[in-house]
Amino acid sequence: MVITDDDRKRFLTEDFYNSLRYMFEGAIAWEAWKLSKGSARHQGVLGMYTVFMEARALYEFIHSHKLPLRFPDEARADDFASPPWQAKKSAVYSHYMDNKKPANKRMFHLVYRRSKTTGPAGELNEQVLNVTKDLLYLSQEFVTNINDDDLRALGEKALQDATNEAQKAADHYGITNPLV
């Protein structure tokens, strides 16, 4: 399968944007739930799961460099930067999101003895904003490293539009946006 510039443009304007938007809005919803002391019963769970599911996709997009593609349509940050851009794996990624770490063992796979291998369940819950802020930073870095001016502009717009939606969500909940 040959990935075209139209594919890359569509990816940035639709998929990259939506992943960021959903993650940012999930983090805002989670923070609003936390600040309200859990008054909206399911809001915290839905916000947390939204963040971690989108984070998994975004981290894989950013950090999967030399691994073979499982499917020919998988998007990678390397598709946009030449030479390939290498983002540093942060402490939050290494401790919570990487293979065999708490998010994988608690959210993406059913495993025995979860608490023994990943620590207390509440510890992962407290990483919602840290993961989101980490990916906001990595996304800004990724966009800066897109080597095509037109694609970089689309990446910047996607990031700005997703950030604007996060602000709208914070305004909706009446909270200060924790991502700025």
Side-chain angles (χ1 to χ4, degrees), residues 89-96 134:
K89 291 184 179 179
S90 66
V92 70
Y93 173 82
S94 297
H95 191 73
Y96 294 102
D134 186 43

Side-chain angles (χ1 to χ4, degrees), residues 27-41:
I28 299 294
W30 180 86
E31 179 72 2
W33 166 80
K34 187 176 172 188
L35 293 172
S36 72
K37 309 252 189 274
S39 64
R41 187 166 180 253

Side-chain angles (χ1 to χ4, degrees), residues 20-52 125 128-129 132 162 165-179:
L20 291 172
R21 177 187 176 190
Y22 301 156
M23 183 182 61
F24 293 166
E25 289 194 56
I28 299 294
W30 180 86
E31 179 72 2
W33 166 80
K34 187 176 172 188
L35 293 172
S36 72
K37 309 252 189 274
S39 64
R41 187 166 180 253
H42 295 63
Q43 183 176 329
V45 172
L46 295 173
M48 180 181 74
Y49 271 82
T50 299
V51 165
F52 284 111
N125 186 356
V128 169
L129 288 178
T132 304
E165 292 301 322
Q167 186 58 54
K168 288 178 190 175
D171 294 343
H172 169 79
Y173 288 115
I175 66 169
T176 301
N177 184 345
L179 304 179

Side-chain angles (χ1 to χ4, degrees), residues 2 9 29 37 46 52-53 59 74 86 100 103 111 118 129 132 138 144 163 166 178:
V2 175
K9 289 175 184 176
K37 309 252 189 274
L46 295 173
F52 284 111
M53 293 307 293
Y59 276 128
E74 288 182 6
Q86 296 279 326
K100 299 181 181 178
V111 298
T118 66
L129 288 178
T132 304
L138 287 173
T144 300
T163 305

Side-chain angles (χ1 to χ4, degrees), residues 132-158:
T132 304
K133 288 176 182 180
D134 186 43
L135 278 161
L136 172 58
Y137 170 77
L138 287 173
S139 296
Q140 291 166 334
E141 203 175 293
F142 159 67
V143 167
T144 300
N145 283 282
I146 295 175
N147 62 0
D148 177 276
D149 292 341
D150 293 336
L151 292 174
R152 186 179 325 102
L154 291 174
E156 289 168 351
K157 182 174 180 347

Side-chain angles (χ1 to χ4, degrees), residues 4-126:
T4 67
D5 279 343
D6 285 342
D7 293 327
R8 287 180 186 85
K9 289 175 184 176
R10 195 171 309 109
F11 172 82
L12 290 169
T13 59
E14 295 174 13
D15 302 315
F16 182 64
Y17 161 73
N18 281 322
S19 286
L20 291 172
R21 177 187 176 190
Y22 301 156
M23 183 182 61
F24 293 166
E25 289 194 56
I28 299 294
W30 180 86
E31 179 72 2
W33 166 80
K34 187 176 172 188
L35 293 172
S36 72
K37 309 252 189 274
S39 64
R41 187 166 180 253
H42 295 63
Q43 183 176 329
V45 172
L46 295 173
M48 180 181 74
Y49 271 82
T50 299
V51 165
F52 284 111
M53 293 307 293
E54 293 301 333
R56 182 180 189 191
L58 287 162
Y59 276 128
E60 186 171 311
F61 168 74
I62 289 169
H63 288 311
S64 296
H65 297 288
K66 295 181 181 176
L67 300 175
L69 296 175
R70 288 177 290 184
F71 303 101
D73 61 349
E74 288 182 6
R76 301 284 169 88
D78 291 355
D79 298 336
F80 296 87
S82 181
W85 165 68
Q86 296 279 326
K88 182 180 181 222
K89 291 184 179 179
S90 66
V92 70
Y93 173 82
S94 297
H95 191 73
Y96 294 102
M97 297 295 296
D98 205 357
N99 191 27
K100 299 181 181 178
K101 296 300 180 182
N104 270 287
K105 295 291 187 174
R106 288 200 170 273
M107 302 182 88
F108 310 136
H109 303 283
L110 292 173
V111 298
Y112 294 105
R113 301 181 184 135
R114 281 180 167 178
S115 292
K116 186 176 181 179
T117 60
T118 66
E123 183 180 349
L124 183 59
N125 186 356
E126 294 303 317

